[in-house]
């Protein structure tokens, strides 16, 4: 039996796509290998959002080249956004790669592997959803559900529209049927995925749909205890979506709302289609309807032309909102993006690093302060398995998407009450309330 090994870089959509690759390969008779050197087929599912993701991936790719030199029969495949972004040069620059495919062509990997001749091929058209392919879930009780692909926004720094294409939504009834099937298989938590997830359905024909309609439909499915989604866009964070968090039992009390910058001037140059005031208005609406909601975000530091005054405005938003967590990035130019042309306005790297340090300090301090609201409370935690840091303890997540390390007896997939004893900016610690088991 031939074996495969997949290395995944980047976002949750890539994690979802990798699960579909694994399911598809197992349906072809392959088995998963624990290590790259044990595999006949070495696959990389790549990201190209940040420069460091490119650099990390290429170092792994050269490791695979060394393995192929020892065994020329090994097949090396590269999928995902990086492959799509360098489609015109991938085989020229990396002649040891056998197959390359974009995010919309994952299914072509099977066609390649079952063809009579394994000559190098590339597949880069935008077609089909990986959600239609067989899947192999990393966790039995959790599933990614791709509800749309691509993006119609034109953020000046973002490569996604050129690597994943225009936004296309999957049919409403098809998604409901998929989640219903997942529930019958024991899945308790689903995460709905899209590059701009909350604009789902607006272009469906013959009947357009709203993202909030999909949340209501998924919430109504027996067995689904928790519903998450990522990533939404602040411009499309409408009141009906926010109210779903308050009204629907399964929709989690966590919203990831990407800020990117706290300066309206910088946001305009980023082509984000909202300003500082609109963002803060959305936060106020969330806090009005869902007072205990955890809000996380993305922030880019050192965007071309960002002044010290612009950066201070970002810090002010961080202080005012009090995010429960943030993914922070130093701006790096991406090929085929408008901002990559702003060369004369690039912020010096040492300035970017200094601002990042100040930003991380502010984010972590406010997140730590926000986390203290959980201490002394008993929260429902979905058990994921042993703690990564202490295998004698358990690890799980609250509806607020806070990681909890705790002492208890819960099994993976159970939702158990945990008394929170302490909190940091990153996680909570506690002990399971065993009285609930007696009852």
């Amino acid at each position: 039996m031939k074996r495969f090994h997949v290395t995944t870089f980047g976002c949750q959509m890539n994690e979802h796509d990798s699960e579909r690759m694994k399911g598809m390969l197992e349906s072809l008779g392959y088995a998963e290998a624990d290590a790259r050197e044990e595999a006949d087929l070495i696959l990389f599912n790549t990201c190209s959002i940040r420069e460091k993701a490119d650099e990390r991936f290429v170092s792994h790719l050269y490791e695979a080249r060394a393995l192929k030199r020892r065994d020329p029969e090994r097949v090396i495949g590269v999928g995902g956004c990086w492959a799509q972004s360098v489609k015109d040069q991938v085989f020229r620059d990396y002649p040891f790669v056998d197959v390359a495919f974009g995010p919309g062509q994952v299914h072509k990997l099977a066609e390649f592997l079952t063809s009579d001749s394994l000559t190098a091929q590339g597949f880069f058209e935008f077609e089909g959803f990986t959600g239609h392919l067989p899947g192999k879930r990393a966790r039995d009780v959790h599933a990614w559900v791709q509800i749309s692909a691509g993006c119609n926004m034109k953020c000046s720094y973002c490569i996604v529209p050129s690597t994943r294409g225009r936004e296309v939504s999957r049919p409403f009834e098809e998604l409901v049927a998929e989640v219903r099937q997942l529930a019958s298989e024991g899945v308790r938590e689903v995460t709905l995925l899209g590059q701009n997830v909350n604009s789902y359905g607006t272009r469906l024909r013959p009947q357009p749909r709203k993202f909030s309609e999909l949340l209501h439909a998924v919430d109504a499915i027996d067995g689904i205890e928790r519903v998450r989604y990522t990533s939404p866009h602040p411009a499309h964070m409408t009141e009906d979506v926010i109210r779903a968090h308050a009204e629907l039992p399964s929709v989690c009390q966590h919203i990831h709302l990407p800020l990117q910058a706290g300066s309206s001037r910088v946001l305009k140059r980023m082509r984000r289609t909202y300003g500082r005031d609109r963002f803060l208005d959305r936060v106020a609406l969330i806090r009005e309807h869902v007072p205990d909601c955890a809000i996380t975000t993305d922030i880019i530091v050192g965007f071309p032309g960002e002044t010290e005054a612009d950066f201070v405005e970002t810090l002010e938003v961080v202080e005012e909102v009090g995010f429960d967590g943030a993914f922070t990035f130093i701006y790096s130019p991406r090929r085929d993006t408008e901002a990559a042309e702003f060369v004369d306005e690039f912020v010096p790297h040492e300035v970017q690093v200094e601002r990042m340090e100040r930003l991380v300090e502010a984010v972590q301090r406010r997140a730590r302060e926000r986390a203290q609201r959980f201490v002394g409370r008993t929260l429902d935690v979905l058990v994921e398995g042993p703690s990564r840091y202490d295998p004698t303890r358990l690890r799980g997540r609250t509806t607020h998407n806070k990681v909890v390390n705790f002492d208890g007896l819960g099994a993976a997939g159970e939702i158990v009450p945990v008394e929170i004893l302490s909190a940091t900016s990153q996680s909570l610690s506690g002990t399971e309330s065993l009285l609930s088991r007696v009852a």
Side-chain angles (χ1 to χ4, degrees):
M1 179 179 288
K2 289 188 176 181
R3 293 187 292 176
F4 69 88
H5 185 273
V6 180
T7 304
T8 306
F9 301 88
C11 65
Q12 293 95 332
M13 187 69 85
N14 273 18
E15 291 182 43
H16 164 272
D17 290 351
S18 289
E19 289 188 353
R20 298 297 176 167
M21 287 182 201
K22 293 177 181 181
M24 181 178 68
L25 289 168
E26 290 192 349
S27 74
L28 294 176
Y30 283 75
E32 185 167 10
D34 293 329
R36 195 176 290 160
E37 56 268 23
E38 299 170 358
D40 304 286
L41 169 63
I42 298 174
L43 282 176
F44 298 96
N45 192 11
T46 62
C47 172
S48 197
I49 298 299
R50 306 281 174 236
E51 187 174 18
K52 287 202 176 297
D54 283 12
E55 294 170 354
R56 257 176 72 225
F57 156 65
V58 170
S59 68
H60 283 265
L61 186 57
Y62 282 125
E63 288 179 19
R65 179 181 66 176
L67 292 172
K68 188 176 178 72
R69 283 175 173 169
R70 283 182 239 159
D71 178 8
E73 295 302 308
R74 285 188 210 266
V75 175
I76 298 177
V78 179
C81 290
W82 180 88
Q84 185 75 34
S85 70
V86 297
K87 61 183 180 181
D88 296 327
Q89 62 198 71
V90 61
F91 295 114
R92 182 191 69 206
D93 294 350
Y94 307 94
F96 53 90
V97 170
D98 297 290
V99 60
F101 50 95
Q105 294 269 277
V106 172
H107 59 288
K108 290 288 189 179
L109 175 61
E111 179 181 310
F112 170 79
L113 293 172
T114 55
S115 63
D116 294 333
S117 175
L118 292 184
T119 55
Q121 292 187 54
F123 305 98
F124 302 108
E125 297 300 316
F126 296 114
E127 63 177 38
F129 294 97
T130 51
H132 291 146
L133 300 173
K136 180 184 180 182
R137 296 193 300 275
R139 289 180 283 161
D140 291 338
V141 297
H142 172 269
W144 307 107
V145 178
Q146 181 190 35
I147 70 169
S148 62
C151 184
N152 291 342
M153 308 303 285
K154 297 181 179 179
C155 301
S156 62
Y157 57 82
C158 186
I159 198 172
V160 165
S162 64
T163 59
R164 289 189 176 264
R166 299 279 292 172
E167 182 180 304
V168 181
S169 296
R170 290 177 64 191
F172 186 91
E173 294 77 11
E174 178 181 296
L175 290 171
V176 174
E178 179 177 332
V179 177
R180 190 173 287 119
Q181 176 62 34
L182 289 169
S184 73
E185 296 169 4
V187 168
R188 303 193 74 183
E189 177 180 296
V190 294
T191 301
L192 309 179
L193 296 176
Q195 269 71 44
N196 187 0
V197 71
N198 53 340
S199 67
Y200 166 81
T202 57
R203 292 173 177 80
L204 280 175
R205 296 294 180 267
Q207 182 184 358
R209 295 285 193 166
K210 292 182 178 180
F211 181 57
S212 60
E213 288 183 78
L214 184 60
L215 292 176
H216 278 265
V218 173
D219 173 77
I221 295 173
D222 289 341
I224 298 299
E225 301 283 348
R226 290 186 175 178
V227 180
R228 303 187 188 277
Y229 58 86
T230 194
S231 279
H233 193 290
H236 302 124
M237 185 52 69
T238 51
E239 186 169 0
D240 58 323
V241 174
I242 294 170
R243 291 179 69 92
H245 287 266
E247 297 168 356
L248 304 178
S250 70
V251 178
C252 290
Q253 293 197 13
H254 168 233
I255 294 176
H256 186 75
L257 197 66
L259 169 65
Q260 307 302 5
S263 161
S264 292
R265 188 186 75 84
V266 173
L267 288 169
K268 185 174 182 180
R269 286 174 57 79
M270 289 179 169
R271 296 191 182 277
R272 287 294 288 168
T273 72
Y274 60 87
R276 172 194 180 111
D277 290 344
R278 166 71 179 185
F279 185 89
L280 291 175
D281 174 75
R282 296 299 89 184
V283 170
L285 196 60
I286 293 168
R287 295 262 160 88
E288 175 187 341
H289 289 296
V290 198
D292 199 35
C293 190
I295 302 176
T296 55
T297 197
D298 298 332
I299 301 174
I300 297 172
V301 168
F303 187 77
E306 179 189 75
T307 65
E308 175 64 16
D310 290 324
F311 177 68
V312 168
E313 287 193 66
T314 296
L315 290 180
E316 289 172 351
V317 174
V318 168
E319 296 289 352
E320 181 175 345
V321 173
F323 294 107
D324 291 78
F327 296 103
T328 54
F329 309 93
I330 289 178
Y331 171 78
S332 61
R334 302 285 73 203
R335 64 183 73 83
D336 300 322
T337 63
E338 181 184 357
E341 305 300 319
F342 300 163
V343 178
D344 294 341
E345 298 179 84
F346 280 5
V347 177
H349 183 66
E350 61 272 17
V351 175
Q352 291 180 315
V353 171
E354 188 272 337
R355 289 178 183 171
M356 173 64 87
E357 291 172 350
R358 290 155 62 193
L359 175 64
V360 169
E361 186 281 326
V363 167
Q364 291 186 347
R365 174 171 44 78
R366 292 294 283 124
R368 185 168 56 250
E369 292 168 359
R370 284 278 295 165
Q372 301 312 307
R373 75 189 190 276
F374 298 122
V375 176
R377 292 167 57 180
T378 297
L379 303 176
D380 287 339
V381 174
L382 178 59
V383 182
E384 296 178 352
S387 169
R388 295 176 182 174
Y389 306 105
D390 181 354
T392 66
R393 309 186 82 202
L394 294 172
R395 180 182 191 271
R397 287 180 190 270
T398 71
T399 183
H400 311 89
N401 206 35
K402 297 294 288 188
V403 171
V404 185
N405 295 292
F406 65 99
D407 299 306
L409 303 174
E414 279 192 278
I415 295 178
V416 300
V418 176
E419 182 184 358
I420 306 302
L421 303 177
S422 63
T424 69
S425 61
Q426 302 293 325
S427 64
L428 308 176
S429 180
T431 182
E432 182 183 349
S433 174
L434 299 181
L435 287 177
S436 63
R437 294 191 177 275
V438 176

